[in-house]
Amino acid sequence: MVNHLLSRESKGPTGLILAVVALMVVFSFLNPRFASVENLQNVLFQSSVPLIIVVGATLVILMGSIDLSVQGVMGAAGMAWILITPNTRTGLDYGVWAWVIALGTGVALGLFAGLIYERLKVPSFVATLGTWYVGLGIGIMLYGNGLLPSLTNEALARWPTRLTLGIPNSFWLAGAVVVVGLVIMNYTRFGRGLLAIGNNEAIARSSGISVSRYKIMALAIAGGLSALAGILATMQLGSGSSDIGSTQLFTVIPAAVIGGTALSGGEGGVLRSSLGVFLLVILNNGLVLAGVDPDYQQGVFGLILILAIVTVAWPHRNRLKVAK
Amino acid sequence: MMNKIQTISSSQPSFGGVIPPGGLTRHRVVAAWHALAPVLVFVSMLLIVGILNPNYLKPLGISIVTASAAPILFVALGQAMVLNIGSIDLSNAAISMVGAILVALWLPGMGVMGIVAVLAVTVAIGILNGLLVAVTQVPSFALTLGTLGLLQTAALVTSDSQTIYISENRELIAALYSTSLLFAPLTFWIGVFVALVYWGLLSLTRLGLGMTAIGKNERAATLSAVPTLPIKVITYAISGLSGGLAGLAIVAQAGSASASGLGSNLLLPGIAAALVGGTSISGGQTNPINVVFGALTVAFVPIAIQAMGFGAEAQSLVYGLFIITVVALTTSRVRGAVIK
């Protein structure tokens, strides 16, 4: 037990922060433009959408499940939002209600996945894989065969890039989500319950935690956050697309894993996953500035992911260890 | 430790002497349902389409469905073998992409030897995956996600982000697609043959039983002296080989290969086909012959949607509901089981 606590301490985010700092130093040498204020603001801008998603994804991964529905939910919510916000196609303006409806779509899709997972006992992998397609389908059907919907409201289209106190608005939004996520994880019954479920579901159940409700709630929250990310990404792009979330899943899950959030559940946290996002975004940004062909980006991500998980797992090898 | 015991004793009702509530009869019903469901799902879809629009079941329709099912089938068979040992291979569709590109590059110069060389490379990639998973003991989901990234880069770099057309020796591989037997192209029948071989491997050999044992309960398998490390490596090698065969099927059909062309989106259809074919995502349960029906079902969904009068936009939505429904119908539920 003491050993367990110690190993948990030693695997704190210090190493990750050092890795991020080291990367920044190396990239600044390779291209002085990397350390410019404009580029750092750009890094914050690029990390906003994956940061929002990773908070929800971490809640789900911490309880040992997985949420693959991210890209589908983003497509559905982003498309729902832009069609009822001043745009070039529909001319509808629901104001605040557009946000409520779009976020509601995400929460509903999360609830859908959660109910299938918890009530029908379908593994979360399959339930959220199906929800991915369902969300994508809703996005495609909303888009239909009509014109490309683009934002007509200039103020809204510029909001994500505009600076407040030197930091882009989209990052303020993402930062707020991360802070709320941290509070939920560390200071609420719900957050601790999720960790307990990830550590040992049978014991969590026996200790009176309503496992079913927690699981469904975690997936609903993840759905809502994916929807928020979908709206933000749509705003950044300025027009609607059902593929707005494309490749996000394959940034967010490696980010969480590199950050030290274990896919088996019960270990890690929102802060570490967020640092994982920063690591990947800085890596991507720095490689582009260093003149590396974008073709190599996925490969570098893959290599870093493999190195990170192997380094963490190496000391824990054991003849009887089961790693799924 | 507690929950491991819980999982072992309760989540695998069809094995290990734990009889679910309802007794042995229910036990057999569940087992029979598992064996028949994938076939029933496919046949009922055929019936619905046949009643609504019989034109789709004519020879042309059959050849279209089986042709598009062939690459999905190979990827799904490899995936089913890996899922059976309780792991996953997210990189196997990317292996088929790299395989297809290498076939297009090597066939003109090397002829048949080129095909052999490509299969050797894909098997080697599989072995590497297997060694990394088994020796370093990391979760296969994260590890193969990493190799997926590496292989995507490999596909882009080897093809120079271009579409590679086969200039010479094209007839060597095109025959696999243009020769048809009972309206289906040869690539599909090769897939069926591979499924039979995998079925034989799983049910008739010590190696195959070892694979299923690892999937049911890895710790128990290790304690029973099942050589888990070599078996895992072999399973990933099989997944690599299946990926290579899928690459051949892609090139045979398209006559060209690129990192974003035909076959670049096989990962999810492959997983879906394995699941719809009754493979359990938690391991220890698969039947390669049923995976054939899974692949046919997945390839048939777009056609069924059209036949039922929905627009092409509805395809993703129906696809998602379909996967959920089929898995919900075939999943085994036991009180107190931990489902991740």
Side-chain angles (χ1 to χ4, degrees):
Chain A
M1 194 63 211
V2 175
N3 251 338
H4 179 69
L5 282 177
L6 279 180
S7 72
R8 182 166 241 185
E9 273 307 303
S10 63
K11 269 195 277 164
T14 341
L16 257 180
I17 294 172
L18 284 178
V20 171
V21 172
L23 269 184
M24 292 175 79
V25 172
V26 171
F27 284 135
S28 314
F29 274 112
L30 289 176
N31 185 341
R33 260 180 54 210
F34 176 82
S36 67
V37 175
E38 288 78 27
N39 189 54
L40 292 179
Q41 283 166 344
N42 193 20
V43 166
L44 293 181
F45 178 78
Q46 287 170 350
S47 54
S48 327
V49 169
L51 270 179
I52 294 176
I53 306 168
V54 92
V55 173
T58 304
L59 295 185
V60 177
I61 295 174
L62 277 177
M63 59 178 194
S65 312
I66 194 139
D67 182 6
L68 303 179
S69 68
V70 171
Q71 296 179 192
V73 175
M74 284 179 76
M79 190 59 77
W81 179 78
I82 198 163
L83 288 178
I84 48 180
T85 303
N87 68 83
T88 49
R89 193 208 286 187
T90 56
L92 295 173
D93 181 7
Y94 285 26
V96 183
W97 288 105
W99 289 78
V100 176
I101 291 171
L103 291 175
T105 310
V107 172
L109 282 169
L111 273 177
F112 173 75
L115 287 172
I116 290 166
Y117 171 36
E118 198 32 52
R119 294 279 178 261
L120 294 182
K121 304 288 177 199
V122 170
S124 58
F125 187 98
V126 181
T128 56
L129 178 68
T131 311
W132 176 353
Y133 280 115
V134 170
L136 197 63
I138 291 174
I140 293 173
M141 286 170 83
L142 286 175
Y143 184 78
N145 299 317
L147 286 167
L148 176 79
S150 299
L151 280 177
T152 48
N153 185 334
E154 279 291 311
L156 214 49
R158 287 212 189 117
W159 186 85
T161 36
R162 235 195 351 249
L163 304 172
T164 306
L165 300 176
I167 288 173
N169 282 333
S170 47
F171 188 77
W172 282 111
L173 180 65
V177 170
V178 171
V179 169
V180 172
L182 275 174
V183 170
I184 290 179
M185 264 337 292
N186 297 316
Y187 300 105
T188 66
R189 267 179 93 87
F190 176 65
R192 287 187 195 147
L194 290 184
L195 263 179
I197 293 172
N199 265 311
N200 191 325
E201 189 172 325
I203 291 181
R205 204 183 289 272
S206 321
S207 342
I209 292 175
S210 44
V211 174
S212 302
R213 222 176 45 191
Y214 277 33
K215 282 183 170 176
I216 296 172
M217 267 171 73
L219 278 164
I221 292 174
L225 288 177
S226 295
L228 183 63
I231 298 174
L232 182 62
T234 307
M235 234 194 273
Q236 290 180 350
L237 185 68
S239 56
S241 157
S242 51
D243 278 335
I244 193 80
S246 165
T247 74
Q248 289 294 347
L249 183 67
F250 296 100
T251 307
V252 166
I253 291 183
V257 174
I258 289 169
T261 300
L263 287 177
S264 48
E267 196 176 309
V270 170
L271 189 62
R272 287 208 226 158
S273 297
S274 309
L275 285 169
V277 168
F278 275 120
L279 188 86
L280 289 186
V281 171
I282 288 172
L283 197 63
N284 182 20
N285 176 289
L287 286 176
V288 170
L289 284 183
V292 176
D293 192 322
D295 285 357
Y296 286 89
Q297 184 196 322
Q298 293 295 331
V300 173
F301 276 23
L303 195 63
I304 302 240
L305 176 63
I306 294 174
L307 287 177
I309 51 173
V310 170
T311 323
V312 171
W314 193 254
H316 300 279
R317 277 171 314 131
N318 178 316
R319 188 86 180 83
L320 281 179
K321 185 182 156 195
V322 173
K324 288 270 171 170
Chain B
M1 198 58 205
M2 264 301 285
N3 85 328
K4 288 288 182 289
I5 294 167
Q6 174 101 4
T7 322
I8 292 157
S9 63
S10 54
S11 69
Q12 270 108 27
S14 53
F15 236 69
V18 180
I19 296 170
L24 215 53
T25 324
R26 207 199 115 182
H27 203 135
R28 286 190 185 122
V29 171
V30 169
W33 175 233
H34 248 286
L36 284 177
V39 185
L40 286 179
V41 165
F42 179 65
V43 171
S44 49
M45 198 158 69
L46 272 186
L47 277 178
I48 293 171
V49 173
I51 292 166
L52 288 174
N53 198 338
N55 280 331
Y56 285 100
L57 298 186
K58 291 197 173 141
L60 182 66
I62 296 175
S63 70
I64 292 173
V65 171
T66 46
S68 61
I72 299 175
L73 174 57
F74 285 114
V75 173
L77 284 172
Q79 192 66 269
M81 296 298 275
V82 179
L83 288 175
N84 187 45
I85 61 163
S87 303
I88 195 163
D89 187 354
L90 296 180
S91 72
N92 74 345
I95 293 179
S96 68
M97 210 63 252
V98 172
I101 288 168
L102 291 181
V103 170
L105 284 173
W106 292 351
L107 197 65
M110 297 164 72
V112 179
M113 279 315 289
I115 295 177
V116 176
V118 169
L119 291 180
V121 169
T122 57
V123 168
I125 299 173
I127 290 176
L128 196 65
N129 265 335
L131 280 174
L132 279 169
V133 166
V135 174
T136 65
Q137 298 185 325
V138 293
S140 56
F141 184 95
L143 183 98
T144 53
L145 191 60
T147 41
L148 166 68
L150 287 173
L151 289 167
Q152 276 172 343
T153 292
L156 285 168
V157 173
T158 48
S159 67
D160 204 15
S161 309
Q162 307 280 321
T163 302
I164 299 165
Y165 296 93
I166 302 176
S167 46
E168 280 170 66
N169 284 340
R170 192 178 160 182
E171 65 285 352
L172 281 178
I173 196 155
L176 292 179
Y177 179 70
S178 53
T179 315
S180 71
L181 199 69
L182 293 173
F183 314 122
L186 208 53
T187 44
F188 176 75
W189 292 115
I190 296 174
V192 173
F193 175 72
V194 171
L196 285 170
V197 172
Y198 288 1
W199 176 81
L201 174 76
L202 281 180
S203 39
L204 304 175
T205 69
R206 179 183 272 260
L207 173 66
L209 292 180
M211 289 175 180
T212 309
I214 293 175
K216 294 233 181 259
N217 186 338
E218 186 172 339
R219 193 164 296 165
T222 310
L223 290 172
S224 321
V226 172
T228 51
L229 193 147
I231 290 183
K232 280 184 177 178
V233 175
I234 291 170
T235 310
Y236 274 93
I238 289 175
S239 177
L241 175 70
S242 315
L245 291 172
L248 292 184
I250 292 166
V251 178
Q253 186 175 352
S256 65
S258 76
S260 56
L262 183 71
S264 59
N265 278 324
L266 283 178
L267 175 60
L268 294 177
I271 295 175
L275 294 175
V276 172
T279 306
S280 156
I281 193 102
S282 45
Q285 184 147 45
T286 190
N287 181 347
I289 295 169
N290 274 345
V291 174
V292 175
F293 290 97
L296 281 172
T297 307
V298 166
F300 202 67
V301 166
I303 291 172
I305 290 168
Q306 272 182 19
M308 285 189 251
F310 293 111
E313 306 98 81
Q315 194 172 312
S316 282
L317 184 73
V318 177
Y319 213 52
L321 293 175
F322 205 78
I323 294 172
I324 293 174
T325 314
V326 172
V327 176
L329 284 176
T330 53
T331 200
S332 31
R333 298 180 186 80
V334 177
R335 256 187 115 72
V338 173
I339 294 166
K340 290 272 177 175

